[in-house]
Amino acid sequence: MNNVFYFKTISKIGGCESWFYYLSRLYKNMIIYYKEGDSEQIKRLAKNVEVHKYKENEIIECDRFFCCYGPDIIDNVKAKDYYHIIHCDYKQVPFKPIIHPKFNHYIAVSKLAGDSFKELTGIDYELIYNPVVIDMPKVEKFNDDKLHLISATRLTKEKGLERLQKLGNLLDNSGIDYEWDIFTNKQRKFVGKKVQYRDPKIDIVPEIAKYDYLVQLSNCEAFCYSIVESLMVGTPIIATDLPVLKELGIRNGFEGYILDFNMQDVPLDLIKQKSLKVAYKSPKSNWDKYLDNNSSYDSEELIKVKCRRGIYLIEEDIRTIKGQIIELKRYRASELESKDLVEIL
């Protein structure tokens, strides 16, 4: 195993989840380990690269070990080099940088994230921007006079809930005919009279491509996939003045409208004109320094699994009993393993 990536929890949506997925589309000589994972995410990852649910006390041997956030299994890893990925602006989050004596390399997803880490720890880092691989969706934008907004975010304080509410109030009082779809979790809080709350989607890029603007009013972002994805499909943004925007080449009045954190002087007259035309490329990612496609992994290969209990597999039209050994395609076995329905042998 050349390259092992570990993330304790792989959620249904999130920046790290996008990072994993885009890496898996670009490079094949990587193996992903996790402890808890959303089955949809695991399935789409496993169609690209090898994915394993970590077994208690399992020993992993590899050349390079890449860790996101908690290194809780690192003592069971035997590697030549240990990398910690810096995914956040540590000066803006309520937890400290992760330091472990085994880590001998640190990679930051932006200069902002890396500098915050270095300022607090004194440890230098390597900058490798997040990869973004977009297949341009074949969709048409809304074609009417209404202002169509989209957000994909948690409705929490750090993600700018109060600012989202203020923007909703401004729109409600402006007389602008608008609709605002917010893809979020079950903690839904009032933002505006014409806001519709929708369930999160594992791939929201085709949705974003339809709208006039993506709205992201967070306190801080170390990279922000939703903003970069939005611009890459031609949808301008309405965002807070996040320091990383300048680093990513995002300018007020060109790629969107950048608002101050106090939400003063929101340019509603300009926003409603929908006149911005966006042509944007994300910063080059240099993960090919470590990763390539030298892999024999085949997601369609049949492998043996042991059923943990009796289940009916709709995709295969198979009814099983506890302890039964059957063969499944690798990607399907990984999906069912994430649900603790089978054990990969």
Side-chain angles (χ1 to χ4, degrees):
M1 293 187 288
N2 290 327
N3 302 295
V4 166
F5 286 75
Y6 174 69
F7 193 31
K8 184 176 181 180
T9 302
I10 298 178
S11 302
K12 185 176 182 66
I13 55 172
C16 280
E17 285 70 23
S18 295
W19 176 75
F20 268 154
Y21 177 62
Y22 288 138
L23 273 181
S24 77
R25 289 194 61 185
L26 286 170
Y27 307 106
K28 304 306 176 187
N29 71 327
M30 54 187 288
I31 298 175
I32 294 175
Y33 278 85
Y34 68 97
K35 279 192 174 178
E36 301 292 333
D38 174 78
S39 60
E40 284 187 78
Q41 283 283 6
I42 300 303
K43 185 176 183 178
R44 75 169 185 163
L45 283 170
K47 286 189 175 181
N48 296 329
V49 296
E50 195 170 339
V51 182
H52 291 288
K53 188 168 186 176
Y54 180 77
K55 298 177 177 63
E56 194 67 29
N57 298 320
E58 182 177 0
I59 302 298
I60 298 174
E61 297 185 15
C62 56
D63 291 334
R64 304 185 191 99
F65 178 71
F66 299 90
C67 183
C68 302
Y69 296 111
D72 56 299
I73 70 167
I74 198 167
D75 289 333
N76 288 337
V77 177
K78 298 178 180 179
K80 295 178 181 177
D81 290 288
Y82 298 81
Y83 296 77
H84 175 58
I85 314 299
I86 304 166
H87 280 286
C88 65
D89 178 357
Y90 278 109
K91 294 173 68 175
Q92 301 293 331
V93 295
F95 47 87
K96 296 180 180 180
I98 295 169
I99 306 295
H100 190 282
K102 275 193 170 183
F103 286 134
N104 55 358
H105 301 279
Y106 291 85
I107 294 173
V109 302
S110 65
K111 187 175 185 298
L112 172 75
D115 285 352
S116 73
F117 173 82
K118 185 176 181 179
E119 183 176 333
L120 294 174
T121 66
I123 299 173
D124 210 350
Y125 66 92
E126 179 182 2
L127 172 62
I128 302 183
Y129 285 113
N130 284 333
V132 185
V133 187
I134 297 291
D135 296 323
M136 187 60 69
K138 295 181 180 180
V139 297
E140 294 184 2
K141 284 190 174 292
F142 293 106
N143 187 24
D144 56 33
D145 294 330
K146 190 176 294 186
L147 180 65
H148 294 274
L149 307 176
I150 184 173
S151 294
T153 184
R154 300 187 303 277
L155 295 179
T156 58
K157 183 177 181 179
E158 68 273 11
K159 289 298 182 181
L161 173 60
E162 292 180 2
R163 296 185 201 95
L164 294 168
Q165 292 170 331
K166 187 165 186 177
L167 180 59
N169 290 336
L170 288 172
L171 288 167
D172 289 337
N173 295 328
S174 69
I176 295 174
D177 189 12
Y178 80 97
E179 285 186 357
W180 188 354
D181 289 336
I182 298 181
F183 290 75
T184 190
N185 55 22
K186 294 180 180 179
Q187 295 177 336
R188 295 171 176 178
K189 301 178 181 180
F190 179 77
V191 170
K193 294 177 181 178
K194 297 183 180 179
V195 170
Q196 301 179 72
Y197 302 98
R198 302 179 64 179
D199 291 334
K201 285 192 171 185
I202 197 167
D203 181 10
I204 199 167
V205 173
E207 293 288 340
I208 292 174
K210 302 175 188 176
Y211 288 76
D212 298 317
Y213 299 93
L214 172 102
V215 180
Q216 185 71 47
L217 303 180
S218 307
N219 293 348
C220 67
E221 296 286 347
F223 185 83
C224 197
Y225 264 114
S226 62
I227 284 178
V228 172
E229 290 167 337
S230 180
L231 296 177
M232 288 184 70
V233 296
T235 299
I237 62 166
I238 301 171
T240 37
D241 192 10
L242 302 164
V244 77
L245 296 185
K246 185 176 181 180
E247 181 180 346
L248 297 177
I250 298 169
R251 305 158 297 170
N252 185 33
F254 292 87
E255 285 74 36
Y257 296 103
I258 299 174
L259 313 180
D260 65 53
F261 286 98
N262 293 323
M263 298 291 289
Q264 298 296 316
D265 302 320
V266 177
L268 291 180
D269 288 340
L270 290 174
I271 289 171
K272 72 178 182 181
Q273 291 176 21
K274 303 188 288 188
S275 60
L276 296 181
K277 305 297 181 184
V278 174
Y280 178 80
K281 289 184 178 181
S282 65
K284 187 179 186 306
S285 179
N286 292 317
W287 272 103
D288 51 6
K289 177 178 178 180
Y290 297 105
L291 305 174
D292 56 42
N293 286 309
N294 184 22
S295 171
S296 60
Y297 177 74
D298 179 4
S299 66
E300 299 285 325
E301 179 187 3
L302 292 175
I303 61 171
K304 290 183 178 180
V305 303
K306 183 177 181 180
C307 300
R308 292 187 178 276
R309 58 178 178 268
I311 51 176
Y312 175 61
L313 303 177
I314 297 176
E315 190 172 310
E316 293 79 12
D317 192 21
I318 297 174
R319 184 172 295 280
T320 71
I321 59 173
K322 182 179 179 180
Q324 183 177 356
I325 295 175
I326 61 174
E327 288 189 335
L328 294 173
K329 293 179 180 180
R330 276 192 174 273
Y331 78 85
R332 179 70 164 143
S334 294
E335 176 195 9
L336 296 177
E337 183 185 42
S338 72
K339 299 178 179 180
D340 289 325
L341 296 176
V342 304
E343 175 187 355
I344 295 177
L345 299 178

